[in-house]
Amino acid sequence: MMAEGVKKMTKRYVGKNIFKVDAREKVTGNAIYTEDIYFDNMLYLKIKRATHPHAYLRRIDISKAQKLPGVVKIITAADIPKVKNFGLIIKDQPVLIGIGQKMRYMGDALAIVIAESKEAASQAIGLIEVEVEKLEAISDPLRAIEKDAPLIHQDGNILDTYYLKKGDIKKGFAQADLIVENEYRTSFLDQVPLQVEAGVGIFDQETEIIKLWVATQWLHDTQADIAQSLGLPKEKIRIIQPVIGGAFGKKEDISVHIYLALAAMETKRPVKLTYTREESMIAQSKRHPFIIRMKTGVTRKGYLTACQVEVIVDTGAYASSGPAVVHKGLYHCTGPYNVGNVKGVAHIVYTNNTYCGAMRGFGATQMAFAYESQMDIITHRLRIDPVQFRLQNAYSIGSSTPNSQILTLGVGVKETIKLAADIAGWKE
Amino acid sequence: MKHKIRFTINGEVKEIEVQPNKTLLKMLREDLDLIGVKEGCGAGECGACTVLVNNKPVNSCLMLAVEVDGKEILTIEGLSDGINLDPLQESFLKHNAIQCGYCTPGMVMSAKALLNRNSHPKEEDVKEALAGNLCRCTGYKRIVDAVLDAVKKGGGK
Ligand code: FES
Ligand code: FES
C-alpha cells in the first residue's frame, strides 16, 4: 500500500521541475507582503525603546510628545496594568517597561506612540523624556556568572543548566592515546531576512476579534502567547500571514504583534508598524554565541573514545527559544561521529545583550565549529588523513548519538563526506 | 513646501507634488502604489528598491523624488503587462530563481539595466551587475543562471 503511494508521488513531483505557486506574483511585483497592506484611516506606530541596556525606569514624561500634531495616543505600562509577559518557552519578556521596573536590553519597549503619520510617530519618540537609574550592563556571559554580578532576572543569571552522559568518560579517556582540549567561541549573528518585522492590525468592534497581518513564523504558538499576555481567549486573536520576505528563525518570536493589538483596541482604527532595519537588529533575536570547552580522546589508530564538553551560552536579556537551542547544541557535541563515552554540561546565561533565539541549525552549527576543529587538530597531530579519519568514525545505521538515540534511518554522512572529498578533488 | 514634478513612469506621464525630503522609494510605494518596489534596508545596502531612472539602475531609497523631475522611470510593474512577461521574468520562473521573492524585483531590474547596456554579457558581467543586490535566501546561482539563459534566448536583443 505504502510503496504504491510513494510510487505515485514520485511520478507526480520527484525529478520534475515544479513551479512555485506564487512565483509569478513575485516576479511581477504583485505579491502582497505585510508592509504592502494599506487601509484607509490607518494609523502608524513607533516604539520608544530603552535608553540604557540595564537600568530601572524612574520617570517617563510623554506630555511634550502627546502635544505634537498628529499624535493620537501614547501607551505606556501605566495604561496596561493587566498585560502579562510573553515568551516562546519562558514568559520572561515584558510588553512595556513600567516605572520602577527594569530595562534589560536596548530593545525593551517603554512606550507605543500612535500617530496619523510615520513622520509624526518618529518625531514624537524623540520628545518622550526618560529618567533611568543605571545598573552595570553585562555584555559578557562569563561576567554574568560571577558571584558579585548584578542579577538581570530575579532568579539569577544562570537561566538553566543541562547535563549529558553516555558510557564512562573516565574509561574513555583512559583508552585514549591522545587527548586534545581547546576552547572555542562563536559570535552573535543576525538572520537578516531581507524583509524586516512588519504588521497591520484591526480591531473588529462587532466580534471583538483582533485581526493581525504579520510577517511571522509560528502562527498558533504566537496566537496563544498573545492571548495569554492580553488575557483574552485565543479565538479573539486572528493571525494572517501574508507572503513573507524570509525569516530564518528571526520571526519565530513576538515582535510587532502585541503593540498592534493594543493600539488597535485602543483606537478602533487600522494600525501599522514596520521596524527599521536598525530596530530589527537591536530588538529581535540573534543566533546564540557559544563558549565551548571541548576535550576529545582518540586512539593512535584514529578511533574516538571520549568527548567531554562544557558550554556557556549567552541568551541575552530573555530566554526566547534559548533552552531548546542549547539542548540541541549539546546533543550535537560529537557531530556525526561515533563516540562511546560522552559527558557534557551546558549553562544558559542571561546578559544585557539582545536576546538570542532561533536561527537555521538551531544550536547545531555553533557546535560544529568546535568538533570539526577538534577533528582537524587530531588528524594533524596523529598525521592521518582527515577524510579517512572522519569516515572511520562517522555514523551509520545503528549508531547511537550522545543522548543515546539509536539511528535507524536516513544516515547519509559517509556518502556526503565521500562526495564532498570527490568534488573538492581531495585525492589529488 | 511641496514641489511639483513631472516624469514618465512605466510609460505614463505623471505630474505630482512631493515634499522635498521624500525619497523616490516612498513616492513610488506610497503615492503611486507601486508596491513591487521593496525596502530592505533604506540605506543603499541591499538593492531591493532598485528601479531604472533613464535606463540606469538606482537605489530608490537613496534618491530624492524631486530628482526624477523630467526623467523616465521603469519599475518591476512596468516590465510586462502582467500577461506577457519579459524574457528575464520568464527565465527567473523557469530557473526557480525565486524563494521568498523579496529581492526579486530589484534583481530583475538590475539585470534589465545590464541587458539594456550590454546585450551579450558574460557570467562575470552578470555577477558584477547584481553585486549590489542581496538575496538572503541565497539563490545567487539560480539567479545568475536565469539571467544568462535569458541572454541566450535573445532577452538582451
Ligand atoms: S532599500 Fe534601498 S538599497 Fe536597501
Ligand atoms: S529570494 Fe528571499 S531574499 Fe532573495
PDB file of all heavy atoms in Angstrom, chain A residues 15-26:
ATOM      1  N   GLY A  15      11.806  14.661  -9.354  1.00  0.00           N
ATOM      2  CA  GLY A  15      12.522  14.674 -10.623  1.00  0.00           C
ATOM      3  C   GLY A  15      11.906  15.597 -11.660  1.00  0.00           C
ATOM      4  O   GLY A  15      12.382  15.692 -12.777  1.00  0.00           O
ATOM      5  N   LYS A  16      10.832  16.260 -11.281  1.00  0.00           N
ATOM      6  CA  LYS A  16      10.191  17.193 -12.218  1.00  0.00           C
ATOM      7  C   LYS A  16      10.456  18.626 -11.788  1.00  0.00           C
ATOM      8  O   LYS A  16      10.683  18.901 -10.616  1.00  0.00           O
ATOM      9  CB  LYS A  16       8.663  16.955 -12.223  1.00  0.00           C
ATOM     10  CG  LYS A  16       8.269  15.556 -12.653  1.00  0.00           C
ATOM     11  CD  LYS A  16       7.445  15.608 -13.920  1.00  0.00           C
ATOM     12  CE  LYS A  16       7.320  14.247 -14.550  1.00  0.00           C
ATOM     13  NZ  LYS A  16       6.179  13.493 -14.044  1.00  0.00           N
ATOM     14  N   ASN A  17      10.395  19.541 -12.720  1.00  0.00           N
ATOM     15  CA  ASN A  17      10.563  20.951 -12.416  1.00  0.00           C
ATOM     16  C   ASN A  17       9.195  21.548 -12.094  1.00  0.00           C
ATOM     17  O   ASN A  17       8.364  21.736 -12.972  1.00  0.00           O
ATOM     18  CB  ASN A  17      11.202  21.660 -13.616  1.00  0.00           C
ATOM     19  CG  ASN A  17      11.732  23.021 -13.233  1.00  0.00           C
ATOM     20  OD1 ASN A  17      11.743  23.384 -12.062  1.00  0.00           O
ATOM     21  ND2 ASN A  17      12.171  23.778 -14.225  1.00  0.00           N
ATOM     22  N   ILE A  18       8.959  21.778 -10.820  1.00  0.00           N
ATOM     23  CA  ILE A  18       7.643  22.270 -10.393  1.00  0.00           C
ATOM     24  C   ILE A  18       7.737  23.773 -10.126  1.00  0.00           C
ATOM     25  O   ILE A  18       8.605  24.213  -9.383  1.00  0.00           O
ATOM     26  CB  ILE A  18       7.193  21.556  -9.087  1.00  0.00           C
ATOM     27  CG1 ILE A  18       7.248  20.040  -9.244  1.00  0.00           C
ATOM     28  CG2 ILE A  18       5.819  22.037  -8.651  1.00  0.00           C
ATOM     29  CD1 ILE A  18       6.299  19.454 -10.249  1.00  0.00           C
ATOM     30  N   PHE A  19       6.836  24.526 -10.708  1.00  0.00           N
ATOM     31  CA  PHE A  19       6.843  25.977 -10.457  1.00  0.00           C
ATOM     32  C   PHE A  19       6.314  26.275  -9.063  1.00  0.00           C
ATOM     33  O   PHE A  19       5.338  25.661  -8.634  1.00  0.00           O
ATOM     34  CB  PHE A  19       5.981  26.714 -11.491  1.00  0.00           C
ATOM     35  CG  PHE A  19       6.675  26.879 -12.812  1.00  0.00           C
ATOM     36  CD1 PHE A  19       6.114  26.387 -13.978  1.00  0.00           C
ATOM     37  CD2 PHE A  19       7.910  27.523 -12.884  1.00  0.00           C
ATOM     38  CE1 PHE A  19       6.760  26.527 -15.195  1.00  0.00           C
ATOM     39  CE2 PHE A  19       8.560  27.676 -14.098  1.00  0.00           C
ATOM     40  CZ  PHE A  19       7.984  27.163 -15.254  1.00  0.00           C
ATOM     41  N   LYS A  20       6.942  27.200  -8.402  1.00  0.00           N
ATOM     42  CA  LYS A  20       6.414  27.687  -7.132  1.00  0.00           C
ATOM     43  C   LYS A  20       5.063  28.318  -7.395  1.00  0.00           C
ATOM     44  O   LYS A  20       4.901  29.062  -8.362  1.00  0.00           O
ATOM     45  CB  LYS A  20       7.331  28.800  -6.611  1.00  0.00           C
ATOM     46  CG  LYS A  20       8.286  28.396  -5.555  1.00  0.00           C
ATOM     47  CD  LYS A  20       9.211  29.565  -5.251  1.00  0.00           C
ATOM     48  CE  LYS A  20       8.812  30.224  -3.967  1.00  0.00           C
ATOM     49  NZ  LYS A  20       9.133  29.429  -2.787  1.00  0.00           N
ATOM     50  N   VAL A  21       4.093  28.058  -6.516  1.00  0.00           N
ATOM     51  CA  VAL A  21       2.731  28.530  -6.783  1.00  0.00           C
ATOM     52  C   VAL A  21       2.653  30.054  -6.858  1.00  0.00           C
ATOM     53  O   VAL A  21       1.853  30.601  -7.611  1.00  0.00           O
ATOM     54  CB  VAL A  21       1.709  28.023  -5.732  1.00  0.00           C
ATOM     55  CG1 VAL A  21       1.368  26.581  -5.978  1.00  0.00           C
ATOM     56  CG2 VAL A  21       2.188  28.259  -4.315  1.00  0.00           C
ATOM     57  N   ASP A  22       3.488  30.744  -6.063  1.00  0.00           N
ATOM     58  CA  ASP A  22       3.355  32.200  -6.050  1.00  0.00           C
ATOM     59  C   ASP A  22       4.506  32.914  -6.760  1.00  0.00           C
ATOM     60  O   ASP A  22       4.695  34.116  -6.609  1.00  0.00           O
ATOM     61  CB  ASP A  22       3.231  32.709  -4.606  1.00  0.00           C
ATOM     62  CG  ASP A  22       4.382  32.252  -3.731  1.00  0.00           C
ATOM     63  OD1 ASP A  22       5.280  31.546  -4.232  1.00  0.00           O
ATOM     64  OD2 ASP A  22       4.395  32.601  -2.539  1.00  0.00           O
ATOM     65  N   ALA A  23       5.254  32.160  -7.565  1.00  0.00           N
ATOM     66  CA  ALA A  23       6.431  32.756  -8.208  1.00  0.00           C
ATOM     67  C   ALA A  23       6.048  33.855  -9.189  1.00  0.00           C
ATOM     68  O   ALA A  23       6.733  34.857  -9.309  1.00  0.00           O
ATOM     69  CB  ALA A  23       7.253  31.672  -8.902  1.00  0.00           C
ATOM     70  N   ARG A  24       4.931  33.653  -9.880  1.00  0.00           N
ATOM     71  CA  ARG A  24       4.527  34.640 -10.889  1.00  0.00           C
ATOM     72  C   ARG A  24       4.215  35.998 -10.257  1.00  0.00           C
ATOM     73  O   ARG A  24       4.646  37.036 -10.751  1.00  0.00           O
ATOM     74  CB  ARG A  24       3.313  34.107 -11.659  1.00  0.00           C
ATOM     75  CG  ARG A  24       3.150  34.764 -12.990  1.00  0.00           C
ATOM     76  CD  ARG A  24       1.932  34.240 -13.733  1.00  0.00           C
ATOM     77  NE  ARG A  24       1.713  35.097 -14.884  1.00  0.00           N
ATOM     78  CZ  ARG A  24       2.267  34.884 -16.073  1.00  0.00           C
ATOM     79  NH1 ARG A  24       3.029  33.836 -16.273  1.00  0.00           N
ATOM     80  NH2 ARG A  24       2.044  35.724 -17.068  1.00  0.00           N
ATOM     81  N   GLU A  25       3.495  35.976  -9.138  1.00  0.00           N
ATOM     82  CA  GLU A  25       3.216  37.241  -8.434  1.00  0.00           C
ATOM     83  C   GLU A  25       4.517  37.890  -7.982  1.00  0.00           C
ATOM     84  O   GLU A  25       4.669  39.098  -8.019  1.00  0.00           O
ATOM     85  CB  GLU A  25       2.352  37.014  -7.187  1.00  0.00           C
ATOM     86  CG  GLU A  25       0.880  36.815  -7.449  1.00  0.00           C
ATOM     87  CD  GLU A  25       0.572  35.372  -7.753  1.00  0.00           C
ATOM     88  OE1 GLU A  25       0.631  34.559  -6.816  1.00  0.00           O
ATOM     89  OE2 GLU A  25       0.307  35.047  -8.925  1.00  0.00           O
ATOM     90  N   LYS A  26       5.427  37.047  -7.528  1.00  0.00           N
ATOM     91  CA  LYS A  26       6.675  37.597  -7.001  1.00  0.00           C
ATOM     92  C   LYS A  26       7.532  38.228  -8.093  1.00  0.00           C
ATOM     93  O   LYS A  26       8.143  39.267  -7.886  1.00  0.00           O
ATOM     94  CB  LYS A  26       7.464  36.501  -6.277  1.00  0.00           C
ATOM     95  CG  LYS A  26       6.851  36.139  -4.923  1.00  0.00           C
ATOM     96  CD  LYS A  26       7.519  34.932  -4.299  1.00  0.00           C
ATOM     97  CE  LYS A  26       7.027  34.723  -2.874  1.00  0.00           C
ATOM     98  NZ  LYS A  26       7.529  33.467  -2.301  1.00  0.00           N
TER      99      LYS A  26
END
